[in-house]
Amino acid sequence: MNTSIIVSKAEFLTHWLGHRTLTRRTIEKFPEKELFHYSIGGMRPFADLVKELLSIAEPGLRGIVQQKEEPYNHDIGLSTKEELLARWDEDTPKIIDWYNQIPEADFHKEYNLFGEYKFPIYSNLLYFVDNEIHHRGQGFVYLRSLGIEPPFFWDRY
């Protein structure tokens, strides 16, 4: 396969970390009660969406590096905003470490993420970012409906 580089491995990580920074600021904007209980149109509360993000990013990267296809588990026992933010902050350096252990030459190798999603590693990485953006967008809708101005979507650093 002939590939050309559009962004470097380091640039992709910087991009992803910028999204993580913005998602963290989005979590901070929520009042505690609404973070865990507010929803619109049958969507899950934002805390549940954040738990999903926590249950795929770091564990997914760990699986890629260790070549283990363990299923994800969104049922993580975090019940306060403080706990969500602490886990977010704990996972960020782990994400950096796991990501940096993936050889760039492996990005086009197939990996069966969580034993369910068999795609090239770069597709799995894009999924992590895309899913975060999607769920953060839901959080933005919640915040606006609560009369709270979300962070600027473009201010990721």
Side-chain angles (χ1 to χ4, degrees):
M1 172 186 294
N2 185 8
T3 61
S4 60
I5 295 176
I6 296 172
V7 295
S8 70
K9 180 180 174 185
E11 289 167 333
F12 179 85
L13 179 59
T14 298
H15 178 79
W16 184 9
L17 294 175
H19 280 289
R20 285 187 60 81
T21 297
L22 180 54
T23 301
R24 188 189 196 289
R25 287 202 309 267
T26 304
I27 298 165
E28 290 175 330
K29 288 272 190 171
F30 272 84
E32 184 90 19
K33 180 181 176 191
E34 286 76 5
L35 178 61
F36 286 88
H37 300 289
Y38 187 74
S39 73
I40 297 173
M43 293 189 299
R44 294 174 284 165
F46 193 57
D48 289 348
L49 303 176
V50 172
K51 289 177 189 180
E52 177 184 317
L53 298 174
L54 290 168
S55 70
I56 64 166
E58 188 275 333
L61 281 172
R62 181 173 6 103
I64 290 168
V65 170
Q66 296 177 345
Q67 291 296 294
K68 293 183 180 176
E69 298 175 5
E70 297 175 0
Y72 57 83
N73 178 10
H74 300 328
D75 187 23
I76 53 179
L78 304 173
S79 58
T80 67
K81 179 165 49 169
E82 182 180 332
E83 290 173 338
L84 285 174
L85 290 169
R87 174 70 179 274
W88 196 265
D89 293 343
E90 291 168 14
D91 279 5
T92 298
K94 293 176 186 176
I95 285 169
I96 295 167
D97 184 52
W98 289 123
Y99 178 84
N100 285 326
Q101 291 182 54
I102 303 170
E104 195 169 335
D106 288 357
F107 275 35
H108 286 87
K109 290 183 179 178
E110 279 196 345
Y111 173 72
N112 194 14
L113 182 66
F114 304 119
E116 292 186 35
Y117 309 105
K118 191 171 187 173
F119 297 104
I121 289 172
Y122 79 85
S123 285
N124 292 318
L125 298 172
L126 289 169
Y127 166 74
F128 297 151
V129 177
D130 291 346
N131 194 45
E132 182 173 335
I133 293 167
H134 165 70
H135 287 320
R136 187 176 62 240
Q138 290 172 283
F140 276 30
V141 169
Y142 287 172
L143 287 172
R144 288 199 182 278
S145 73
L146 291 166
I148 301 169
E149 181 75 23
F152 295 118
F153 78 92
W154 46 262
D155 187 11
R156 296 190 310 263
Y157 304 99

